[in-house]
Each structure stands twice: as C-alpha cells, then as structure tokens.
Amino acid sequence: MYISLTEWDSFTPPVFVGLDNYVQALTGDPVFWKALWNTFFYAAVSVPLGLAVGLWLANLLNKKVRGRKFFRTMIYLPTLVPLVATAMVFKMVLAPSGPLNDLLGVFGVQGPDWLLDPLWVKPALVVLSAWGAGSATVLLLSAMNGIPREFYEAAEIDGAGPFRQFWSITFPQITPIIFFNLIMGLIGAFQIFSQVYILTQGGPDNASQMVVPLLFDQAFGFYHFGYASAVAWLLFVVIIGFTALAFRTSRRWVFYETEVR
C-alpha cells in the first residue's frame, strides 16, 4: 500500500506522491481501462463457459458407461499439464496455418488469424480457458456421486424424466460445488497472466491486454513500481467486489443440506 502511494523506479528512493498513481490509472491511462475491459470480458465469458463445460462433462461421466474411468482420467489430464506448455501448444494450434484453421478449411470455412486479429484474440483465450475444465469436472462429479440414489428412485416412481431429475435433484445438490468453482473461476480469470504473456503479450494493439500483464509490464518492464502497486490494489478491489456480489447472490440459489430456511 505504501509503495502504491509513491513514485519509485528502483534506482532512486521512493518519493511520496499521495493518490497520484490511482488518479493516473483511473483518469490518465487509457490502456488501464482497455485492460480492465478485456479482463471483464474474459471473466464474463470464460467463467460461465468453464462451469457449463464442467457440468456437462460431469453429468456425462456420472452415467454408467463402459470405459468411464478412462474418460475421467483423460478429461482431468489437461489440468496436470503446466500452463506454459499448454499455451505453447495452443500457439501452434491457433496459428494462421495451424491445425484448427486446417480443420475449418475442410468444411470450407476460412479460419481467422486467431492471435493476430483484435476481433478474435479474446475468443481464442476463452477457448484456451475451457481446456482446463477437468478440475471443475472432477469436483462436480464427486458431488454427484454423493447424492443418495433413493432420490432418483423416488423421482422415477413419480414419473420424472432425466431432465427433471437433473434440474430438481442433481443441480440443487451440487450448487455448493458450483458456487466454489464460480468463486475460484472469477479469481483466476481476473488474474489471467501466463496465457496472455506467452501467446500475445497484450497485442495486437492492446486487444488482449489484461490487468495483471499490464501490472507486470509497468513493474518489471518500465520499473514503475508505485504505479504497478496502485494497479494491483485496484484489481484487488475489483476481485473483492465481484466475490462479495457472488456471496450475496448465493443465498438465492446455493442449497446446503444442513441449512434450514
């Protein structure tokens, strides 16, 4: 906090400047607002997508099918791969002449320059985020396995179909795990760094610049440690705000078995 109130470039002693760094970020730095908007967009799309993919996969793996253990392992395996290695692989996959565009070409679709086009670079990062849905899948699958089978047997007797069983039994029982994944997903999305730093470094034209890469550049690229600290505190306030909002709304949709309402 003190460093955020100073002007410090690591070569000279810190000079106290009050709230100048915060004023500069909020009123004098258009790149900060661009990075904040990009981060909001990434979080708003990647977090719900990750939850939806994880829930869909967990529901599929919860069924009694042959090779279920193998599929569970394969879905969780990508989360064990270091993020840097995953980003390097996706850098080749998303190249203009990469496998993804080659696949689209088979269907007569002209693939875009995913990492070079300002319109497509954020969707490309969102696609990369869905690659790690295996962690959420395992947690949701564990929660589904803990639901008593008697609930489904009673629903079948009453004539409830698969969709009704999922919506009335499965979903309420796993809402605590969904809420946990939501909180962790929000925090992780707002702190995205490695993917941007490796794939795009914020380009093209700051179209993929996020708050943490901006903070990193200011601190260790330009040695503006005071300004970078102010950006870090602003990001902290944003994360706390969205986390508090999620907790506030959780009372309406998160069901705890031991809770009496």
Side-chain angles (χ1 to χ4, degrees), residues 7-26:
E7 183 178 347
W8 184 31
D9 59 6
S10 80
F11 301 107
T12 57
V15 177
F16 184 81
V17 294
L19 298 176
D20 286 0
N21 289 323
Y22 293 92
V23 174
Q24 170 66 17
L26 295 174

Side-chain angles (χ1 to χ4, degrees), residues 87-258:
M88 294 300 295
V89 171
F90 266 81
K91 190 172 186 179
M92 293 183 290
V93 171
L94 297 172
S97 58
L100 181 56
N101 282 350
D102 290 343
L103 178 62
L104 293 175
V106 173
F107 299 96
V109 178
Q110 178 66 36
D113 295 334
W114 294 95
L115 301 178
L116 303 175
D117 190 335
L119 183 63
W120 288 99
V121 64
K122 286 191 288 292
L125 294 174
V126 170
V127 170
L128 175 57
S129 71
W131 180 253
S135 179
T137 302
V138 170
L139 293 175
L140 291 168
L141 183 59
S142 177
M144 290 179 180
N145 289 334
I147 301 175
R149 180 60 192 169
E150 291 79 5
F151 291 174
Y152 297 102
E153 293 174 351
E156 289 176 359
I157 293 174
D158 291 337
F163 177 79
R164 187 62 181 176
Q165 291 181 29
F166 175 82
W167 188 251
S168 298
I169 299 176
T170 306
F171 186 80
Q173 293 287 324
I174 64 175
T175 48
I177 302 301
I178 295 176
F179 179 63
F180 172 80
N181 287 330
L182 172 64
I183 295 298
M184 300 305 295
L186 280 174
I187 295 174
F190 278 111
Q191 293 181 336
I192 177 177
F193 171 73
S194 300
Q195 302 93 311
V196 175
Y197 191 75
I198 294 173
L199 293 178
T200 66
Q201 294 187 344
D205 193 25
N206 293 317
S208 64
Q209 184 66 283
M210 307 287 181
V211 176
V212 174
L214 173 66
L215 184 159
F216 179 85
D217 289 340
Q218 290 292 332
F220 304 107
F222 305 113
Y223 301 104
H224 298 160
F225 293 110
Y227 183 75
S229 298
V231 172
W233 275 102
L234 291 173
L235 178 61
F236 171 76
V237 171
V238 170
I239 293 176
I240 287 294
F242 276 90
T243 303
L245 179 63
F247 270 94
R248 183 75 174 180
T249 59
S250 68
R251 302 174 184 177
R252 301 180 179 179
W253 62 275
V254 179
F255 170 78
Y256 294 101
E257 190 173 356
T258 58

